[in-house]
Amino acid sequence: MRVLVVEDEPDLLRTIAQVLREDGYAVDEAADGQEGLYKATSWNYDAIVLDLLMPKLTGWQVLEKLRTTHKTPVLILTARDGINDRVRGLDGGADDYLAKPFHLVELKARLRALIRRSLGLASSQIDVGELTVDTTAKTVTRGETLLQLTPREFSLLELLALHRGKVVTRTQIYEKLFDESDDSLSNLVDVHVSNLRRKLGKDFITTRRGQGYILHD
Amino acid sequence: MIRSIRGRLQWWYAAVYGVSIVVFGFLVYWRADRDVNERATLQAVSTARYLDVSLRGVRPGPMRDAGQMNPPSERGADQFSSDFSLGPLPPELQFRPPGARRPGMGPPGDRGPRSPMGPKGRLGPLGPLDFVRPPESFLEDDKVQPPLDRLAFTVWRRDGSVLARSDGVEGDPVFDMQMPTGVALPPRVFRGKGYIDAVMKGPQEATILVRRPMGNDIANLHQFGFQIAGMAVGTFLVGILGGWWISGRMVQPIQMISETAAQISAANLNRRIDTSRLDQELVQLASVLNGTFERLETSFDRLTQFTADASHELRTPLAVIQSQMELALSQSRSVEWYQQTLETCLQSSERMRSLVDGLLLLARTDSDHAELRRQTIDLRSVVEDAVAQLQDRALSAGLELECAAPEMIVGVNADIRFLMQVPVNLISNAIQHTPRGGKIFVEVRIEVTDAVLSIRDSGCGIAAEHLPHLFARFYRVDTGRSRRYGGSGLGLSICKSLVESHNGSISCDSIVGEGSTFVVRLPLSDSSTDQALENKHVP
């Protein structure tokens, strides 16, 4: 999962990005509206966290311009909590609204819900054969046994599980797993895939040479 | 109801209306009563005169009384009607010599009942006293109006014996007429209960009395009175109902105004009273109310905006603190991590503190100017202190901060605790908005009776569209930019508030790309004003 955080308060931007990274997201940061709009339109993010009062472009303006081309789920995170602000934000194309100050757990939960909705999932659990991927608890169980995965391994499995039965290209994996600050070495994906195979068992992930990977039911 | 305008209007209207109806009714009744009485009196008096003339008609020596045939002006008659006159006498009453008695007794005599007594005159000392025409015929005479009640008369001779008397039932009190005594020669009128008497002296000191009973007339009059009263009550009721309706219509716009006013609440301040349907007097009231609502809405909006801005400014650092803490506590971190978290939290709380300080200062200058402890202070030293205090910051920002002041004392009457904020805020502002390598020039000077502090920077300048709002609370030229510098958006509005509480003014000139100049004007203290004026004369 890859998200964009647009926030002009540097400390807050750093904190939100940090907590989302620890949660296994690939996080891109933007410090003002213009940068935010540029990044939001150049990648297909799974979600965007957007502040409203920012230099250069306000959150409303970013949203208005973004909505002409992209359907990316947007969560507005702002200190303006008047009813009018909320209505204006939601009507302007935002999918959720959270007022500052906020709890990080709530932000994370709302982001998960937002992404789940955009993927058309009914629950936070994805069942693939005897594997159960819980996107909320960030756990994977095979039958009764709980598997120990690193956040990045989990994200990779989550991505494959969401697209189970379909080929996921290496480019897609790069886009969703690594943010702009990661030094994306080309064999990093192979490393994670082989680690996953070791932990899950060889049969789950199949390599389609020249195309990508696929997770079978 | 009594205290309501409509109720009072109704009461007063009813009172005035009722009184005027009653007065009008009485006037009409009085007038009718007078008419009836006058007519009856006229009938009685004229009949008495006819009787008198009829008696005289047979008198041999008429000369003496000739003047009394048509008395020029007599009290009895004048009392009732000024245009009282008998008109020309009927031909049979014209004077004739004796012997030619009653030649044309024709129609009046034939008609009407002849007196059973007839003209049975007895010869008095001066000759026989008799009527030329049967006296009853005069009762039929309807020159004036046919009487409703029959007239009655009695004529007495000098000795008190009855010469003639009209028909009537014996014992009927109407006709039981006593001979009046001491009656004057011209006709006199006496009013009794239910009748009017006309009495006069006839020839040979005969006494003529004509009685006009009033029973039917009075009954008619009473009936008329009841009719008037009935109509008055009816009119009054209709009038009261009409008045209630009219007063309701009058009060209706007031109700509309109060309904609109009642609908105006904190959540719905944009309603106004529709003045297009109101009368002129109420339009004024409504406009005054609308103006009040307008101001209320404006100040309420401003307050809402201020609250929203203030909470926004406070929430942002609060959000930083909260999320930092939460992140730090979510798992075990390194010591450096905790240190950095605490540092960030400290910065954020510092920002909140300065914001709260600013808000408190604003609230204080807003609410109470009397709190200022004013004394004469030298503006130069205040500004020099501020410059010294900020010199380090300017240097570290790579700026040149210069200060110029006149030789003489620039005395202003001010509270140093508050005034110090002004140059400090303005200079920090200039430092924040001037790029590295720029220059800030602070100058104190005297202009006539003003102490002037001007702060010029070579910063980015402010676009003209922002200048009018520059001193508004939480106004930001570039949303979010000043936050990066740690500003609260209150600095300039605090300056304005402080300067104004010292009876001064603050303004800003700016050219984009060249820099801005803030100018503060404060009135010089009295001693400095004298000195300044003196110096002006010396060179």
Side-chain angles (χ1 to χ4, degrees):
Chain A
M1 296 289 132
R2 188 165 178 181
V3 296
L4 171 68
V5 180
V6 190
E7 167 67 61
D8 68 325
E9 179 68 41
D11 290 329
L12 204 56
L13 176 61
R14 194 164 46 80
T15 314
I16 295 170
Q18 180 68 37
V19 76
L20 292 180
R21 277 192 194 111
E22 284 180 5
D23 225 26
Y25 291 97
V27 183
D28 288 355
E29 302 173 19
D32 61 56
Q34 212 164 15
E35 191 187 350
L37 182 64
Y38 172 74
K39 285 183 176 168
T41 48
S42 44
W43 294 97
N44 258 322
Y45 289 102
D46 291 294
I48 297 172
V49 177
L50 184 66
D51 188 13
L52 283 182
L53 288 187
M54 292 179 297
K56 295 179 188 167
L57 279 180
T58 67
W60 291 297
Q61 289 169 316
V62 172
L63 202 55
E64 191 190 333
K65 292 201 164 82
L66 177 71
R67 280 290 173 253
T68 56
T69 51
H70 287 68
K71 291 193 294 185
T72 322
V74 170
L75 185 148
I76 287 179
L77 180 67
T78 179
R80 297 186 68 97
D81 74 333
I83 296 294
N84 289 342
D85 298 317
R86 288 167 189 261
V87 170
R88 191 177 161 198
L90 292 172
D91 284 348
D95 299 274
D96 204 354
Y97 199 102
L98 188 59
K100 294 176 192 172
F102 57 94
H103 288 279
L104 287 175
V105 281
E106 188 182 357
L107 175 69
K108 290 192 285 185
R110 280 179 186 268
L111 263 186
R112 280 197 300 271
L114 211 56
I115 293 166
R116 199 165 63 229
R117 273 204 300 275
S118 73
L119 294 174
L121 295 178
S123 82
S124 58
Q125 284 195 353
I126 311 166
D127 295 315
V128 188
E130 52 184 297
L131 277 182
T132 303
V133 182
D134 189 331
T135 56
T136 305
K138 308 275 176 195
T139 55
V140 181
T141 46
R142 191 175 61 193
E144 293 297 308
T145 46
L146 189 67
L147 302 175
Q148 294 294 326
L149 301 183
T150 66
R152 201 145 273 180
E153 286 162 4
F154 178 83
S155 297
L156 176 58
L157 181 61
E158 188 185 23
L159 180 66
L160 292 172
L162 283 171
H163 299 88
R164 63 183 187 274
K166 290 179 207 151
V167 176
V168 180
T169 64
R170 292 172 66 86
T171 321
Q172 274 177 314
I173 294 173
Y174 272 115
E175 273 189 20
K176 295 291 182 187
L177 252 59
F178 303 101
D179 60 47
E180 56 200 355
S181 55
D182 280 318
D183 187 12
S184 48
L185 293 166
S186 61
N187 71 336
L188 212 53
V189 174
D190 302 318
V191 173
H192 288 304
V193 170
S194 72
N195 286 344
L196 261 185
R197 277 186 176 140
R198 187 163 46 77
K199 288 179 181 175
L200 300 176
K202 288 202 184 324
D203 311 335
F204 284 102
I205 302 167
T206 317
T207 309
R208 291 279 175 86
R209 201 152 298 280
Q211 293 179 20
Y213 301 94
I214 185 165
L215 187 68
H216 293 291
D217 281 325
Chain B
M1 176 61 79
I2 301 291
R3 287 305 302 171
S4 79
I5 289 183
R6 192 183 183 184
R8 276 198 290 174
L9 214 60
Q10 188 66 32
W11 277 113
W12 279 108
Y13 169 71
V16 171
Y17 189 55
V19 166
S20 43
I21 281 186
V22 167
V23 167
F24 180 73
F26 270 105
L27 278 175
V28 169
Y29 185 80
W30 173 75
R31 176 74 208 211
D33 181 65
R34 207 187 63 161
D35 277 358
V36 166
N37 270 309
E38 248 174 41
R39 211 162 54 217
T41 309
L42 186 61
Q43 280 175 357
V45 170
S46 55
T47 308
R49 280 185 173 281
Y50 283 133
L51 290 174
D52 175 48
V53 170
S54 179
L55 274 176
R56 281 171 206 282
V58 297
R59 247 190 55 199
M63 293 308 116
R64 195 181 61 131
D65 294 320
Q68 289 180 8
M69 302 273 283
N70 275 313
S73 165
E74 287 164 49
R75 257 182 66 215
D78 267 357
Q79 232 170 320
F80 302 101
S81 171
S82 55
D83 57 351
F84 173 75
S85 78
L86 287 174
L89 282 170
E92 66 271 22
L93 293 183
Q94 302 293 330
F95 175 71
R96 285 172 306 276
R101 232 179 115 219
R102 266 192 255 166
M105 254 316 291
D110 294 341
R111 237 176 19 151
R114 291 286 300 238
S115 167
M117 290 156 71
K120 49 169 187 197
R122 180 172 64 91
L123 280 180
L126 297 176
L129 183 66
D130 204 353
F131 295 93
V132 256
R133 183 177 142 181
E136 285 80 8
S137 69
F138 293 112
L139 305 184
E140 302 299 317
D141 201 320
D142 51 0
K143 270 200 164 52
V144 187
Q145 278 286 317
L148 287 162
D149 293 292
R150 273 183 68 88
L151 288 160
F153 67 87
T154 309
V155 181
W156 291 271
R157 295 194 190 83
R158 189 173 47 187
D159 58 2
S161 59
V162 172
L163 169 69
R165 159 169 252 174
S166 61
D167 297 353
V169 185
E170 285 299 331
D172 185 338
V174 174
F175 299 104
D176 184 15
M177 295 182 283
Q178 297 299 311
M179 179 184 171
T181 52
V183 185
L185 208 62
R188 292 194 60 183
V189 174
F190 299 92
R191 289 171 190 284
K193 193 172 163 60
Y195 60 87
I196 292 170
D197 283 349
V199 183
M200 68 183 292
K201 280 287 183 213
Q204 296 177 27
E205 292 182 49
T207 304
I208 303 165
L209 184 147
V210 176
R211 172 162 291 188
R212 168 70 157 83
M214 297 294 290
N216 286 337
D217 277 322
I218 288 171
N220 278 347
L221 213 52
H222 284 172
Q223 201 187 342
F224 180 59
F226 282 123
Q227 281 169 354
I228 287 183
M231 280 191 286
V233 169
T235 317
F236 183 72
L237 287 179
V238 169
I240 289 292
L241 286 177
W244 187 247
W245 180 69
I246 290 170
S247 62
R249 277 183 62 100
M250 293 278 118
V251 173
Q252 197 190 3
I254 301 179
Q255 258 165 356
M256 193 193 90
I257 290 176
S258 61
E259 269 167 28
T260 311
Q263 280 168 1
I264 289 174
S265 61
N268 186 15
L269 278 169
N270 55 358
R271 290 213 45 162
R272 293 289 178 270
I273 297 162
D274 180 13
T275 52
S276 61
R277 279 165 41 213
L278 291 178
D279 300 317
Q280 203 189 346
E281 297 88 339
L282 288 174
V283 164
Q284 213 175 350
L285 171 70
S287 316
V288 169
L289 279 175
N290 278 347
T292 311
F293 296 150
E294 194 78 53
R295 284 195 297 279
L296 198 65
E297 190 181 6
T298 312
S299 62
F300 195 82
D301 285 349
R302 210 178 289 150
L303 186 70
T304 312
Q305 185 63 40
F306 178 77
T307 315
D309 288 342
S311 67
H312 177 264
E313 293 303 322
L314 285 169
R315 274 156 197 265
T316 306
L318 203 60
V320 172
I321 293 176
Q322 195 174 336
S323 54
Q324 283 277 324
M325 299 277 195
E326 235 178 293
L327 180 62
L329 290 173
S330 64
Q331 51 181 282
S332 60
R333 313 279 188 186
S334 65
V335 175
E336 289 76 29
W337 183 293
Y338 289 127
Q339 272 175 348
Q340 219 211 317
T341 301
L342 288 177
E343 223 165 87
T344 313
C345 290
L346 188 65
Q347 279 168 11
S348 291
S349 62
E350 192 67 26
R351 210 172 105 191
M352 285 169 77
R353 192 188 60 80
S354 84
L355 186 69
V356 170
D357 283 351
L359 286 172
L360 282 179
L361 187 64
L362 268 180
R364 220 155 49 176
T365 48
D366 273 356
S367 64
D368 197 3
H369 288 184
E371 210 184 304
L372 295 174
R373 281 206 301 260
R374 288 187 179 212
Q375 59 195 61
T376 304
I377 52 176
D378 189 355
L379 185 64
R380 292 183 306 171
S381 63
V382 175
V383 173
E384 277 160 8
D385 281 355
V387 168
Q389 197 181 316
L390 293 164
Q391 196 69 53
D392 284 351
R393 255 181 74 190
L395 280 177
S396 62
L399 298 171
E400 197 182 327
L401 178 57
E402 257 183 45
C403 180
E407 293 290 307
M408 55 189 288
I409 289 175
V410 184
V412 289
N413 213 2
D415 186 332
I416 187 142
R417 296 172 304 159
F418 291 120
L419 191 64
M420 187 72 186
Q421 288 269 326
V422 177
V424 169
N425 276 1
L426 289 176
I427 295 168
S428 342
N429 212 37
I431 293 173
Q432 280 169 15
H433 293 98
T434 307
R436 194 164 275 277
K439 187 177 169 182
I440 297 167
F441 183 69
V442 182
E443 188 193 13
V444 178
R445 59 178 187 270
I446 290 177
E447 281 180 11
V448 198
T449 58
D450 286 339
V452 178
L453 162 66
S454 86
I455 291 150
R456 196 169 71 231
D457 64 48
S458 61
C460 44
I462 302 157
E465 71 207 65
H466 296 299
L467 285 178
H469 312 290
L470 205 55
F471 296 98
R473 284 158 201 199
F474 295 116
Y475 186 82
R476 290 176 192 284
V477 170
D478 185 354
T479 46
R481 187 188 68 178
S482 49
R483 206 182 303 165
R484 208 179 296 162
Y485 299 103
S488 62
L490 285 177
L492 286 179
S493 56
I494 288 173
C495 283
K496 182 180 162 71
S497 188
L498 285 174
V499 168
E500 283 176 356
S501 69
H502 284 91
N503 311 326
S505 66
I506 187 166
S507 61
C508 175
D509 270 325
S510 188
I511 300 166
V512 175
E514 286 186 27
S516 317
T517 308
F518 284 86
V519 176
V520 174
R521 282 170 190 280
L522 290 167
L524 279 175
S525 65
D526 293 343
S527 56
S528 280
T529 311
D530 298 342
Q531 206 180 338
L533 292 174
E534 233 169 75
N535 283 7
K536 204 154 201 171
H537 291 306
V538 172

